[in-house]
Amino acid sequence: MAGCKPTTPSEVIQPDEMEDLLVDYHIARGMAQLESNYGEQTYKQLLYWQAALQKHGYTQEQFDSSMVYYYTRADRFGPIYNHVLARLQDKAVSLGASEGEIGRYSDLTSYGDTANIWVENTTHVMVPVPPHHRFEFSIEGDSIFREGDSFLMQFMADFVYQSGKKDGFLYVAVDYPDTVVVRQTHFSYSGLSQINIKPTTTLGCPKRVHGFFYLGGADDPSTTLRLLFVNNIQLIRFHSKNAEKTKKENTDSFQSAEVVDRRSASATGRGDTVRSSSKVLPASRGTSPNRMVERIDSLKSRK
């Protein structure tokens, strides 16, 4: 008994075969979108999909009933769909397909001025049944955030619905020392979705980025197939070039003021420099460059 593993009933399409079918399902949808205008897409998609079912020897009824079986077992369906996504990505790359907008940051690591800091799973299968209708995420700031950072969160959504309202929702919050910046969006279509967060530098350094995905419809007890695949999730952090420029300018200004102070301290005789008998204010890291110049001018006026 302890060594037994859950098996898929014989009347249900087995996991390996379901994986093959889902790969062809997505290819059929992609072909329909590329080869027809908006009014013809539904017809072309159905035509290509029926050809895929005949290729594998299944009917639409067998596919639908098998999907309902997996629909109630999202924990088992997740690994299947992860394999589907990996195969589709490999096929697209082998054919030289463009990765699109989301592919711009696919090679980023968690380092550099522009970095993908997403640390959770990049793929989630969601159904409008608790607890699989929601998943939360949290990325702590630590040393990867700086003042002036902006963020872009993006993902690909794929709704597989027999009927019912498609209601996806994403909530993203960025915690700062004294405030929280919130962005949110509803999405009800398959494709790319994005959220931009571009706060001002006056908020200080970000502390944490957190939020959740949510799929509505949990109040509907229907067993009609309703699946949302969220994949290629990325959270891109951009260091502010203006903030770095301002920091460098402030550092350069401080160093210049410090040099003027030291030269004035060693000067002798009369002239525009400070007399050697005058008390020179010490330079320190906490002294503002502008404030230091004001104090030097004040010493000059005492001559």
Side-chain angles (χ1 to χ4, degrees):
M1 293 291 291
C4 292
K5 295 182 179 180
T7 58
T8 304
S10 58
E11 66 273 14
V12 174
I13 300 175
Q14 299 301 298
D16 290 346
E17 296 173 329
M18 178 58 74
E19 180 182 317
D20 292 339
L21 268 173
L22 286 172
V23 169
D24 285 342
Y25 168 82
H26 285 283
I27 292 176
R29 294 187 62 174
M31 291 173 60
Q33 291 173 356
L34 289 174
E35 298 179 6
S36 56
N37 57 42
Y38 182 78
E40 298 177 341
Q41 284 184 14
T42 302
Y43 168 75
K44 285 286 186 71
Q45 181 179 323
L46 180 60
L47 183 65
Y48 294 148
W49 174 232
Q50 289 299 324
L53 286 172
Q54 291 179 11
K55 167 187 171 184
H56 293 281
Y58 293 105
T59 65
Q60 183 67 50
E61 290 74 19
Q62 288 175 308
F63 176 77
D64 289 344
S65 61
S66 296
M67 285 296 287
V68 170
Y69 168 82
Y70 287 111
Y71 172 72
T72 58
R73 295 162 177 81
D75 56 333
R76 297 188 62 188
F77 195 46
I80 295 176
Y81 201 75
N82 287 338
H83 294 159
V84 172
L85 292 175
R87 289 175 58 180
L88 289 172
Q89 183 176 1
D90 291 343
K91 185 180 291 291
V93 171
S94 66
L95 294 174
S98 171
E99 296 183 39
E101 182 68 19
I102 200 164
R104 292 174 57 195
Y105 308 107
S106 60
D107 296 330
L108 291 178
T109 64
S110 58
Y111 304 96
D113 290 340
T114 302
N116 180 16
I117 61 173
W118 183 259
V119 295
E120 307 283 348
N121 291 334
T122 59
T123 301
H124 285 270
V125 181
M126 305 182 67
V127 297
V129 177
H132 304 293
H133 67 314
R134 172 188 174 115
F135 75 87
E136 301 180 355
F137 57 87
S138 179
I139 294 90
E140 300 296 330
D142 196 17
S143 60
I144 64 175
F145 293 160
R146 299 178 188 169
E147 183 173 355
D149 281 353
S150 58
F151 302 92
L152 168 67
M153 186 158 189
Q154 59 182 10
F155 60 94
M156 297 295 293
D158 189 9
F159 287 92
V160 180
Y161 270 51
Q162 289 180 327
S163 64
K165 181 182 178 180
K166 303 172 183 176
D167 184 20
F169 178 75
L170 170 61
Y171 170 95
V172 181
V174 182
D175 292 350
Y176 291 89
D178 298 317
T179 189
V180 178
V181 175
V182 173
R183 297 290 186 273
Q184 57 192 32
T185 183
H186 284 269
F187 55 97
S188 58
Y189 57 89
S190 296
L192 176 65
S193 292
Q194 297 176 315
I195 283 184
N196 280 288
I197 303 176
K198 297 181 179 180
T200 62
T201 58
T202 57
L203 297 178
C205 182
K207 301 299 182 182
R208 181 172 67 124
V209 180
H210 58 103
F212 60 87
F213 284 87
Y214 178 83
L215 179 60
D219 54 342
D220 183 359
S222 172
T223 57
T224 301
L225 178 64
R226 292 173 295 165
L227 292 171
L228 169 60
F229 303 107
V230 182
N231 57 81
N232 287 337
I233 304 171
Q234 297 177 343
L235 177 59
I236 312 302
R237 181 223 59 216
F238 304 91
H239 283 328
S240 172
K241 293 183 179 180
N242 291 334
E244 291 297 314
K245 182 179 178 181
T246 301
K247 180 179 179 181
K248 184 177 184 301
E249 289 175 349
N250 289 340
T251 301
D252 292 344
S253 299
F254 173 82
Q255 291 173 346
S256 298
E258 195 174 32
V259 169
V260 170
D261 187 15
R262 288 171 180 170
R263 290 177 179 176
S264 299
S266 61
T268 58
R270 300 178 182 272
D272 294 334
T273 57
V274 180
R275 284 188 262 179
S276 58
S277 59
S278 300
K279 182 179 180 182
V280 180
L281 296 175
S284 66
R285 288 293 178 185
T287 304
S288 165
N290 294 332
R291 184 60 177 164
M292 183 180 294
V293 172
E294 291 175 3
R295 293 183 179 182
I296 293 174
D297 289 341
S298 176
L299 288 173
K300 291 178 183 179
S301 64
R302 297 177 185 174
K303 295 189 300 180

